[in-house]
């Protein structure tokens, strides 16, 4: 770490976690997260209005906590970064408004960045890890996104290979958990319920994996049909008066999700000749997914990188890290002419970059 590396505060409010991160270059100084998950648990899923209000309440305390942990002040910062999208529009608006206010009041440059590319950037501030090599294939799996990317350069060249055409993997976990009368969020609950279950007990469908699907959807995902298959299986068992073997259903469902995710990710590695795979997003916390990915990748000669789980879930550190990389690569700050973009494409790494040169420290 050197004094010349940019000190950046990142704000992430794309869903239900208020993330404030501070980095100096590629060194992580603070990763502060305030989650509103308990408030959403009553509804069995994220409620956008509840998330936005929770961000409003959590932002200032989270910023203060992050500054204290990093032992820096607002005046010390070189730049502010914020997630512009994709995500929940109302939630994004809270973070974007806060970031603009900070940038203007402190007269600091502002970098509006892409949430999904931020998940990749989480890897570059992972302590004691080797530098991220390019190109790499990235599999991002969360409650709202399931995306497969070809990353040739973090700041200039990210290609979307495929994504979910319906439910994200995390959404499927939540919905199946409800079918099995398990609490929200479904991911960790399915993981716990699957302990001792037989992953081969029930052959649930692997979405978009048939030969007829591969021409058009080779790298795309679909979990809606899988969710429906689980629902029908449970309904039949209940109609027949047979106790539902929750552990077997959970393990078999999880195996179907994991199989599709890993198979398609490794297919992308093989097709593109890239022997590297980066995993990111909150669903990476799933033990079986990490297990299978590491095992099958090793057999295929592919190196797998997984950031610490605290950096896989939505967080501000990844936003700050991406902005720091943009700064060090010579990218100009964003103008203030951007807003929350719930459908921001992954190819748009930075939003509203200035067209003219500016001096660092001038946000206007």
């Amino acid at each position: 770490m050197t004094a010349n590396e940019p000190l950046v505060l990142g704000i992430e409010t794309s869903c239900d976690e208020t993330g404030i991160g501070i980095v100096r270059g590629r060194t992580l100084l603070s990763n502060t997260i305030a989650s509103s998950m308990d408030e959403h648990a009553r509804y069995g899923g994220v409620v956008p209005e509840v998330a936005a209000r929770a961000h409003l309440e959590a932002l200032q305390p989270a910023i203060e906590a992050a500054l204290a942990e990093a032992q820096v002040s607002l005046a010390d910062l070189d730049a502010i970064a914020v997630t512009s999208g994709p995500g929940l529009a109302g939630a994004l608006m809270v973070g974007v408004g806060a970031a603009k206010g900070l940038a203007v009041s402190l007269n600091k440059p502002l970098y509006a960045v892409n949430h999904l590319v931020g998940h990749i950037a989480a890897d570059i501030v992972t302590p004691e890890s080797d530098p991220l090599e390019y190109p790499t294939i990235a599999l991002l799996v969360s409650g709202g996104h399931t995306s497969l990317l070809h990353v040739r350069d973090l700041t200039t060249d990210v290609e979307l290979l495929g994504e979910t055409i319906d439910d994200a993997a995390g959404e499927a976990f939540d919905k199946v958990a409800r079918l099995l009368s398990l609490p929200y969020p479904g991911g960790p609950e399915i993981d716990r319920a699957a302990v001792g279950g037989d992953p081969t007990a029930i052959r649930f469908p692997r979405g978009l994996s048939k030969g007829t699907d591969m021409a058009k959807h080779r790298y795309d995902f679909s979990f809606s049909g899988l969710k429906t298959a689980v629902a029908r299986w449970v309904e039949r068992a209940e109609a027949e008066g047979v106790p539902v073997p929750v552990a077997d259903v959970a393990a078999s469902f999880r195996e179907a999700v994991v199989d599709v995710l890993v198979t398609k990710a490794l297919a992308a590695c093989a097709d593109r000749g890239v022997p590297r795979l980066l995993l990111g997003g909150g669903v990476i916390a799933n033990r079986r997914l990490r297990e299978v990915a590491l095992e099958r990748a090793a057999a295929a000669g592919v190196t797998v990188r997984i950031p610490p789980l605290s950096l896989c879930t939505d967080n501000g550190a990844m936003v700050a890290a991406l902005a720091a990389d943009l700064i060090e690569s010579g990218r100009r700050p964003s103008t203030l002419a951007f807003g929350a973009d719930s459908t921001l494409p992954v190819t748009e790494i930075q939003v509203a970059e200035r067209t003219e040169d500016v001096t660092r420290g001038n946000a206007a």
Side-chain angles (χ1 to χ4, degrees), residues 97-188:
K100 287 183 177 181
L102 277 175
V104 170
S105 64
L106 297 170
N107 197 32
K108 304 288 184 180
L110 175 61
Y111 286 79
V113 303
N114 191 295
H115 171 83
L116 294 178
V117 183
H119 275 298
I120 304 167
D123 182 84
I124 67 177
V125 289
T126 297
E128 301 176 1
S129 68
D130 296 327
L132 179 62
E133 291 185 64
Y134 303 109
T136 187
I137 299 298
L139 174 65
L140 307 181
V141 193
S142 68
H145 306 281
T146 303
S147 305
L148 194 55
L149 313 174
H150 188 176
V151 185
R152 298 180 185 86
D153 183 89
L154 182 64
T155 60
T156 62
D157 192 353
V158 177
E159 177 188 0
L160 176 66
L161 298 179
E163 59 188 343
T164 182
I165 64 172
D166 42 55
D167 290 344
E171 290 176 291
F173 272 98
D174 290 339
K175 291 175 180 177
V176 169
R178 282 201 295 274
L179 289 170
L180 298 176
S181 300
L182 299 174
Y184 173 87

Side-chain angles (χ1 to χ4, degrees), residues 27-276:
T27 302
L28 179 62
L29 302 182
S30 176
N31 181 30
T32 300
I33 299 174
S35 176
S36 59
M37 186 180 295
D38 290 345
E39 296 176 55
H40 301 286
R42 294 180 295 168
Y43 307 100
V46 176
V47 180
E49 293 81 1
V50 173
R53 285 197 299 271
H55 288 312
L56 281 169
E57 294 171 2
L59 260 174
Q60 184 173 340
I63 290 173
E64 292 172 354
L67 292 168
E69 182 182 6
Q71 298 183 341
V72 298
S73 69
L74 288 172
D76 296 326
L77 298 173
D78 293 311
I80 306 295
V82 66
T83 295
S84 175
L88 301 174
L92 288 166
M93 288 172 64
V94 177
V96 167
K100 287 183 177 181
L102 277 175
V104 170
S105 64
L106 297 170
N107 197 32
K108 304 288 184 180
L110 175 61
Y111 286 79
V113 303
N114 191 295
H115 171 83
L116 294 178
V117 183
H119 275 298
I120 304 167
D123 182 84
I124 67 177
V125 289
T126 297
E128 301 176 1
S129 68
D130 296 327
L132 179 62
E133 291 185 64
Y134 303 109
T136 187
I137 299 298
L139 174 65
L140 307 181
V141 193
S142 68
H145 306 281
T146 303
S147 305
L148 194 55
L149 313 174
H150 188 176
V151 185
R152 298 180 185 86
D153 183 89
L154 182 64
T155 60
T156 62
D157 192 353
V158 177
E159 177 188 0
L160 176 66
L161 298 179
E163 59 188 343
T164 182
I165 64 172
D166 42 55
D167 290 344
E171 290 176 291
F173 272 98
D174 290 339
K175 291 175 180 177
V176 169
R178 282 201 295 274
L179 289 170
L180 298 176
S181 300
L182 299 174
Y184 173 87
E189 295 297 333
I190 292 283
D191 229 13
R192 280 189 282 269
V195 174
D198 180 0
T200 65
I202 309 162
R203 176 68 185 184
F204 287 127
R206 273 64 170 161
L208 298 182
S209 294
K210 295 178 181 178
T212 53
D213 298 319
M214 295 303 283
K216 184 177 181 181
H217 295 291
R218 182 168 180 77
Y219 304 125
D220 289 325
F221 304 93
S222 172
F223 298 107
S224 180
L226 170 59
K227 171 206 66 182
T228 301
V230 176
R232 297 291 175 265
W233 197 96
V234 171
E235 287 169 4
R236 282 195 299 271
E238 291 175 340
E240 294 168 4
V242 178
V244 176
V246 173
D248 286 348
V249 174
S252 298
F253 161 74
R254 183 181 66 177
E255 200 70 9
V257 174
V258 168
D259 187 17
V260 169
L261 291 173
V262 175
T263 296
K264 292 195 174 235
L266 291 179
C269 289
D271 295 346
R272 297 300 177 105
V274 177
R276 289 172 289 276

Side-chain angles (χ1 to χ4, degrees), residues 241-315:
V242 178
V244 176
V246 173
D248 286 348
V249 174
S252 298
F253 161 74
R254 183 181 66 177
E255 200 70 9
V257 174
V258 168
D259 187 17
V260 169
L261 291 173
V262 175
T263 296
K264 292 195 174 235
L266 291 179
C269 289
D271 295 346
R272 297 300 177 105
V274 177
R276 289 172 289 276
L277 175 62
L278 171 67
L279 304 181
V283 177
I284 301 304
N286 187 282
R287 178 185 57 81
R288 183 62 178 160
L289 176 54
R290 299 195 308 274
E291 220 172 60
V292 173
L294 290 168
E295 178 183 315
R296 290 175 55 181
V302 172
T303 301
V304 177
R305 294 176 69 108
I306 307 175
L309 297 186
S310 62
L311 291 173
C312 284
T313 56
D314 293 347
N315 63 85

